[in-house]
Amino acid sequence: MTTTGTDGAADGATRRGDGSKGPELVELTSIRDAEADRWNALAGDAALYSTHRWLLYGEELADAASRHLVAACGGSYVAGLPTHRFTGKVPHFYDPAVLFPGAAEPATPERPLLLGGTRLGYTSEVIVAPGTSGPLAAAGVRTVLDRFRTLGAEGGGLAALLYLTDESVERLLSHLGPRDQVVLMDATAVLPVDPDGLEGYRRRFTSHQFTSIRREMRRYTDAGCRTEVKRLSECHHLLGPLSAQVLIRYGHPVTDESESERFAQQATLFDDNCRILGAYQGERMVGFTQYFFWGNTMYARSHGLDDSIAREAKLYFNLTYYEAVKYGAAHGYDSVDLSCDAFQAKVSRAARLQPLWGVVLDAPWTGPVLERVRAEEKARREEYASHDPGIESRVARLVDARGR
C-alpha cells in the first residue's frame, strides 16, 4: 500500500497547497490491503460490483494491475475509485477499441488502458461513503479523480471510466475538463420487487398483459418443473454444462469444463452470498439463474438452460423473473438487477432501464472521429428510449447541458 500521508493520522487529512485541509489520498496496490469491513462501509450505497469481495474476484483473474484510490479523512474512507491497468488483452466489452471502433486503439505496454470502476459486472461507480457531507464528498471525488487523471497521463494511454451510474456521473461533472468526453454506453434493467411478491408484480400489468405471463408460468409447471434454491457449494458441478449451452449459442468460446471451473472458483468466494434458483425435472437440473446479493438488491448474473426443455418450459423467464420476484419478496429484497441486453423482453416484464455512461479523460477525439462516436451514441439512446422513455434521466439532461 502507498499513501500520501498516514492512513491513521490523527486528523485524517493533509495540508493542500492553499493551506486548507482536504482528504488524504491513499493508494491500495490490492484490494487485499483494505480491511473488508472498512471498504464495504465505503461501498454501502454502491452496487455489488464495488464491494470488497467482488473486487477481489476481479483481481484473481490476474489480467490487469489493480490500484484502488481512496480519499480518507479522520481515519475513515470518504471516497474511492478502483482502477485496473491493462497492457494487453482487455475484456471484450471493457475494451475501448471494441466499444469505440475507429476512435480508440488496442492496449499495449507502451499505450496501456487505465480503467476506472469495475472490470467485471457492467455497473461502475465513484464510491462515496453513505452520509458524507456534500463538500467533503466533492473534495473526495476530486482527490481520486485527479490522481486517476495523473496515472492515465503518466501511462501514456487512454484513461476511461466505463459503465458509470447516473449518480457517479453527476458527482464527476463539475470536475471534468473540456477535453473529457461523456458518452451514453449502455443501460442496466432493474426489476422492482413488491413486498407481496407475485401479487404486487401482477398489479404492474393490465389483465390482458398478465395473461401471457400467467401462460409462461403454467408451461413451467406443466413441464414438470419445480424450483429449488441451492448454495454454489451444493450444485456448482451441475452448472457448467448448462451455462456453456447458452454461451456457445451466443458465440462465446467456452467449454463445459471452463464454465465448471468458473463456478467452482466462485464457490470459494461467494458461497454465503450467492444462491442458485434451479429448475428440476425429477432429480435432474434443467436450468438455473444465479443471484448475488448486496444491500436490498438481487443481482442476476449467469444462467444456464437445457436446450431440450428450455423453450417448452419457458425456463429463463420463470427463473429470472417470476421465481426471482417470489424469492426476493420472501427475503426482503426490493429489486432485481437484470444487467444489460434484451431490453425489450425485460421492459415488457416490468423492468426499468437505468443509464450507464462512459467518461473518457482527455479524449483524443475530434472531427469525423468525434462525429462517429456521437452518431453511434445517438442511435443507442434512441433505441433505449423506444423501450423505456425513462432512460432520458435528469442526469442525461445535465450531460446534454454540459455539451458533452
Side-chain angles (χ1 to χ4, degrees):
M1 178 178 72
T2 59
T3 175
T4 60
T6 303
D7 196 15
D11 66 358
T14 56
R15 291 280 178 180
R16 295 184 297 186
D18 59 4
S20 62
K21 286 187 176 181
E24 171 188 36
L25 177 66
V26 179
E27 298 187 34
L28 307 170
T29 54
S30 167
I31 195 62
R32 292 179 178 86
D33 293 334
E35 296 176 5
D37 289 346
R38 193 179 188 194
W39 183 273
N40 286 338
L42 170 64
D45 288 343
L48 168 76
Y49 309 115
S50 293
T51 63
H52 189 277
R53 203 177 320 189
W54 192 266
L55 292 170
L56 178 59
Y57 177 47
E59 278 191 24
E60 290 188 348
L61 298 176
D63 56 358
S66 296
R67 181 182 297 193
H68 305 299
L69 310 178
V70 178
C73 191
S76 298
Y77 290 169
V78 171
L81 179 63
T83 77
H84 318 274
R85 184 175 180 270
F86 290 89
T87 57
K89 185 176 181 182
V90 180
H92 188 76
F93 290 113
Y94 281 91
D95 189 348
V98 173
L99 299 169
F100 308 113
E105 299 294 329
T108 66
E110 297 75 29
R111 190 177 53 247
L113 167 66
L114 185 64
L115 185 67
T118 186
R119 44 88 62 233
L120 182 72
Y122 304 116
T123 297
S124 288
E125 291 158 287
V126 180
I127 318 164
V128 173
T132 303
S133 67
L136 183 56
V141 169
R142 166 67 77 179
T143 296
V144 296
L145 179 66
D146 284 353
R147 182 55 176 158
F148 180 72
R149 188 186 297 277
T150 298
L151 290 172
E154 289 174 352
L158 198 65
L161 303 99
L162 303 181
Y163 304 104
L164 287 170
T165 62
D166 264 3
E167 186 175 22
S168 286
V169 168
E170 187 168 14
R171 287 170 174 160
L172 290 171
L173 280 177
S174 64
H175 304 298
L176 297 180
R179 283 174 50 84
D180 301 332
Q181 295 290 339
V182 185
V183 183
L184 179 68
M185 291 182 56
D186 213 320
T188 190
V190 178
L191 179 68
V193 174
D194 298 291
D196 53 351
L198 282 180
E199 285 305 310
Y201 186 64
R202 184 195 303 265
R203 291 194 297 272
R204 296 182 178 275
F205 304 90
T206 67
S207 176
H208 177 71
Q209 288 173 330
F210 198 72
T211 297
S212 62
I213 292 173
R214 187 184 297 111
R215 188 179 302 121
E216 288 176 342
M217 291 190 225
R218 188 178 303 121
R219 287 178 64 169
Y220 185 73
T221 55
D222 286 350
C225 293
R226 70 182 190 284
T227 303
E228 294 188 11
V229 180
K230 302 284 189 180
R231 287 177 176 264
L232 271 172
S233 58
E234 298 174 308
C235 65
H236 65 80
H237 58 289
L238 302 175
L239 308 182
L242 294 172
S243 175
Q245 286 191 55
V246 173
L247 293 173
I248 290 170
R249 187 189 317 138
Y250 290 102
H252 295 275
V254 301
T255 63
D256 292 1
E257 292 74 19
S258 66
E259 282 298 279
S260 295
E261 182 179 347
R262 178 168 70 93
F263 289 114
Q265 179 192 15
Q266 289 179 357
T268 66
L269 279 174
F270 296 107
D271 201 42
D272 63 335
N273 192 43
C274 177
R275 293 294 181 270
I276 303 298
L277 270 58
Y280 284 80
Q281 278 187 325
E283 298 305 309
R284 183 171 67 100
M285 181 187 280
V286 294
F288 75 89
T289 299
Q290 176 190 38
Y291 296 91
F292 294 91
F293 307 94
W294 179 252
N296 295 321
T297 302
M298 299 168 57
Y299 291 83
R301 290 298 303 163
S302 298
H303 73 276
L305 305 170
D306 182 334
D307 287 339
S308 70
I309 183 83
R311 187 177 297 274
E312 172 193 345
K314 295 295 180 182
L315 293 181
Y316 172 75
F317 295 122
N318 277 280
L319 293 170
T320 308
Y321 296 85
Y322 319 137
E323 294 295 316
V325 165
K326 291 193 287 186
Y327 183 93
H331 293 83
Y333 296 100
D334 60 21
S335 61
V336 180
D337 188 311
L338 299 170
S339 195
C340 312
D341 301 326
F343 292 137
Q344 182 175 357
K346 292 173 180 177
V347 171
S348 70
R349 289 168 176 80
R352 290 296 172 261
L353 302 186
Q354 298 177 359
L356 295 175
W357 302 88
V359 174
V360 181
L361 300 185
D362 297 314
W365 299 343
T366 58
V369 171
L370 181 58
E371 290 174 7
R372 182 165 63 251
V373 170
R374 291 300 173 207
E376 291 167 353
E377 178 193 38
K378 181 175 183 290
R380 276 194 301 275
R381 193 163 171 171
E382 290 174 351
E383 177 194 347
Y384 299 162
S386 72
H387 300 308
D388 181 3
I391 198 75
E392 298 291 354
S393 64
R394 181 181 64 84
V395 171
R397 294 191 290 275
L398 290 176
V399 172
D400 288 344
R402 175 184 180 267
R404 299 184 181 271

